[in-house]
Amino acid sequence: LSICRKLCYAIGGAPNQVAGSASAFFLQIFLLDIAHITPFHASLVLFIGKASGAVTDPVAGFFISKSRWTKIGRLMPWMLACTPFTIVSYFFMWYLPPFLSGRVAWYLTFYCLFQALTTLFQVPYSALTMFLSTDQKERDSATAYRMTIEVLGTLIGAALHGQIVASAHVSHHCTVNPPVNTTDSLHDTPSFPDPADLLSHQVIYMIAAGVIGGVYLLGVVILFLGVKERDDPYALNSDRALPFCKGLGLTMKHGPYVKLTASFLLISTAVQLEQSNFVLFCTQAADLNNHFQYLVATILASAAVSIPFWQKFLQRFGKKRAAFGISWMIPFAVMLVTIPSLILAYVVAFVSGLSIAASLLLPWSMLPDVVDNFRLQNPHGKGYETIFYSSYVFFTKMSAGIGLGISAAGLEFTGYKPAICRQPSDVILALKILIGVVPAILILVGLVILLFYPITEESRKETKHALEMLR
C-alpha cells in the first residue's frame, strides 16, 4: 500500500470522528443549557439515539453482506449514498426550533437519524480494512494511519466546535463563584438568557454545524478518489457468502472475538463517559469554565501525537501488552476529582489522551487478527467481514448508550439545574463519580477480560503463514 492510499483511507474516516467528537463533548451540555430540556429527557435522547445507531449496525451488516460487486466496489456505494443525508441530519441536530413542547421529539428524531446514518457509513468503512491488503503488517499500518487521522479529526471536531460555541457557555451573570453549599437564591435560581442571547447561541451552533458538515463532505470525496476497494483475495469463485444469521451465530461463538468485544465495550463505555461529562465537570464542578475547550484540545492533541508511539509499541511488545497503557488515566482522573486544580487538569488531560489513543487504536488493530483466525477455521465462506465489524460496533454503541443514559439520568436524580452559577453538592458528587470512579472500574474489568484473549504474536504469525498457503 502506498502512503498516499493509506492517507486517503485514513482521511475518509475523519468526518465521522469530527462530528462524533463534537456531539460527544458538547451535545449533553447543549441539550441542558441551550435547548433547556430536562436531564431526564436529555438522557432519553442520548440513550435512544445511541441505541438506534447500535440497532442499525446488524441491519447494515445484513444488507451490506448481500450487496453485489459494482464498478466502485461493494462497500463504497454505501458510504457515498448516506453522506448527504448524514450532513443534513447533523445540521438539524444542533438547530434550536422555535417551539418548546416538541423539542425533545425534535432532538430525538435527528440524533437517532444521525446515529443510524453514521452507522451505515462506519460499518463498510471499517470493514474496508480487510479489502485493502492481505498482509497483516500493511493492514496494521493502514489502521495506524486511520487512527492517527481519526484522532486528529476528533481534535479538529472538538476544537472547532469548542472554540465556536465557547461563548454560549460563559455565565455572564455570575461575577463571583459562590461556595458549594450556598443558599443564596441568586445562585439557586436558573437565569435563562433573553431571546436575543438565544438567537445568538443558535447562530453560533449553526455556524459550527455548517463548518463540520463541510469537513464531512471533503473527507468522503478524498476517500472515494484515493482508495480502490479489492474483492475478497482468499475466496474461490465457487465460495458462497455466509447467510447473515448463520454467520452471526458463528461469530458469537468465536472465542477470541467474544473476549475482545467484551473487553473493549467496557473500555469504550468508560471513554464515552469521560467525554460526555468532562465539559460539565469543568464548568460545574471544577471552576474551569474558561479552560474547558483548551483542556479538550489537550486531550485530543495528546492522543493524536501518541498514536505512532503506540503503533511502534505494539509491534515490538505485542498488542495485549500495549492495551494496559489504557489504565494510565485511572490514577490521574481520581486525582483530578479529589484535588481539582488548573495545572493538574492539564496533566490529567495529557495522560488521558495517551490512554484514549491506545483504546482507539488497539481494538481496530486486533479485530483483523480475529477475522483472520476465523477465516482459517472457516476457509470456504466469504462475506463475513461486515458481520464482525457491524456486530462489534453494535455492542460498543449499545454499551455506550446505556452508560450515557445512566449518567444523564443520574444528573436528573441528583437535581441538576441548567443555567445556574453553582450546582447542588449532590450533582458535583455525581459528576466526580462519573469522571473518576465509574470509568476506573470499567477499564479495570475490561483489562482483566483481555488477559484471556488467546491470540498472541506467535499465533498471529502462524495464522499469516497458513493463510498465505491457502491463498
Side-chain angles (χ1 to χ4, degrees):
L1 291 174
S2 66
I3 293 177
C4 179
R5 183 157 294 183
K6 292 176 187 176
L7 280 174
C8 289
Y9 169 66
I11 290 171
N16 256 2
Q17 303 306 315
V18 171
S21 170
S23 60
F25 280 107
F26 295 99
L27 183 59
Q28 181 166 267
I29 196 170
F30 169 79
L31 295 175
L32 293 173
D33 286 359
I34 305 300
H36 294 148
I37 68 175
T38 67
F40 173 73
H41 288 130
S43 70
L44 286 181
V45 171
L46 294 172
F47 170 69
I48 297 175
K50 284 287 185 182
S52 68
V55 170
T56 309
D57 285 301
V59 176
F62 173 79
F63 286 107
I64 293 170
S65 66
K66 298 291 184 181
S67 301
R68 295 184 178 181
W69 184 264
T70 67
K71 291 182 179 180
I72 59 173
R74 184 164 58 92
L75 304 175
M76 191 68 72
W78 286 89
M79 293 180 273
L80 296 178
C82 69
T83 297
F85 302 101
T86 305
I87 295 173
V88 172
S89 64
Y90 180 80
F91 185 83
F92 283 108
M93 193 174 78
W94 300 99
Y95 179 70
L96 194 64
F99 46 83
L100 293 174
S101 59
R103 281 186 180 177
V104 175
W106 174 278
Y107 292 116
L108 183 60
T109 299
F110 283 103
Y111 188 51
C112 288
L113 189 60
F114 173 71
Q115 289 291 334
L117 289 168
T118 53
T119 294
L120 289 177
F121 182 94
Q122 189 65 26
V123 169
Y125 173 77
S126 54
L128 187 60
T129 308
M130 301 301 298
F131 300 98
L132 295 176
S133 173
T134 59
D135 186 81
Q136 290 178 350
K137 287 185 178 180
E138 288 296 315
R139 290 200 305 254
D140 285 347
S141 176
T143 300
Y145 273 82
R146 171 193 162 191
M147 288 298 108
T148 302
I149 298 297
E150 285 192 355
V151 173
L152 284 173
T154 305
L155 172 60
I156 291 170
L160 274 177
H161 197 95
Q163 290 295 331
I164 294 172
V165 307
S167 62
H169 298 288
V170 176
S171 299
H172 297 291
H173 66 284
C174 300
T175 55
V176 179
N177 288 324
V180 173
N181 294 320
T182 182
T183 57
D184 188 349
S185 61
L186 172 65
H187 303 294
D188 291 338
T189 303
S191 177
F192 297 117
D194 59 36
D197 287 337
L198 285 175
L199 180 61
S200 67
H201 294 168
Q202 177 180 335
V203 172
I204 287 170
Y205 270 93
M206 290 296 92
I207 292 172
V211 169
I212 291 178
V215 173
Y216 219 114
L217 187 61
L218 178 63
V220 172
V221 169
I222 292 174
L223 174 68
F224 173 68
L225 296 178
V227 175
K228 183 179 180 182
E229 181 183 344
R230 300 173 58 184
D231 203 357
D232 191 341
Y234 295 114
L236 301 173
N237 291 334
S238 59
D239 287 347
R240 294 183 177 181
L242 284 173
F244 183 82
C245 293
K246 180 181 178 181
L248 186 62
L250 290 174
T251 58
M252 293 300 102
K253 296 176 183 177
H254 192 59
Y257 179 70
V258 172
K259 293 180 177 65
L260 179 71
T261 303
S263 173
F264 277 100
L265 70 84
L266 293 174
I267 293 170
S268 65
T269 301
V271 173
Q272 285 279 342
L273 285 173
E274 290 274 356
Q275 283 185 320
S276 64
N277 291 290
F278 187 76
V279 175
L280 275 176
F281 175 80
C282 290
T283 57
Q284 304 293 348
D287 295 328
L288 298 171
N289 303 56
N290 297 323
H291 294 271
F292 71 85
Q293 66 268 38
Y294 305 112
L295 290 168
V296 168
T298 302
I299 292 173
L300 300 174
S302 171
V305 299
S306 61
I307 290 283
F309 162 76
W310 286 117
Q311 176 65 13
K312 294 291 184 183
F313 188 96
L314 66 86
Q315 287 178 344
R316 182 169 182 178
F317 299 104
K319 298 179 182 180
K320 287 179 67 173
R321 290 181 180 177
F324 287 88
I326 301 169
S327 64
W328 292 356
M329 75 166 69
I330 295 175
F332 290 93
V334 173
M335 287 172 62
L336 178 63
V337 299
T338 53
I339 322 171
S341 70
L342 182 60
I343 296 176
L344 182 60
Y346 277 100
V347 174
V348 171
F350 177 78
V351 176
S352 295
L354 299 179
S355 298
I356 288 172
S359 72
L360 292 173
L361 174 64
L362 285 166
W364 297 112
S365 181
M366 298 167 83
L367 195 54
D369 301 335
V370 172
V371 176
D372 281 345
N373 183 272
F374 183 85
R375 154 69 75 182
L376 199 59
Q377 298 180 21
N378 301 270
H380 294 295
K382 65 178 183 178
Y384 49 80
E385 294 85 1
T386 53
I387 299 175
F388 272 100
Y389 281 87
S390 63
S391 56
Y392 175 79
V393 178
F394 166 79
F395 287 119
T396 54
K397 279 188 178 180
M398 183 61 74
S399 64
I402 293 172
L404 293 177
I406 291 174
S407 71
L411 295 178
E412 168 81 10
F413 178 76
T414 53
Y416 180 90
K417 298 177 182 178
I420 64 174
C421 297
R422 173 69 70 176
Q423 295 293 335
S425 57
D426 288 345
V427 173
I428 294 175
L429 177 61
L431 286 170
K432 289 181 178 181
I433 292 173
L434 291 171
I435 285 289
V437 178
V438 177
I441 294 173
L442 292 174
I443 289 172
L444 289 174
V445 174
L447 292 177
V448 169
I449 294 174
L450 197 62
L451 288 173
F452 300 95
Y453 176 70
I455 298 179
T456 62
E457 297 305 303
E458 292 74 18
S459 65
R460 284 181 65 228
K461 293 177 182 178
E462 293 172 359
T463 300
K464 176 183 176 181
H465 176 73
L467 287 176
E468 287 300 320
M469 295 301 295
L470 175 68
R471 181 163 162 261

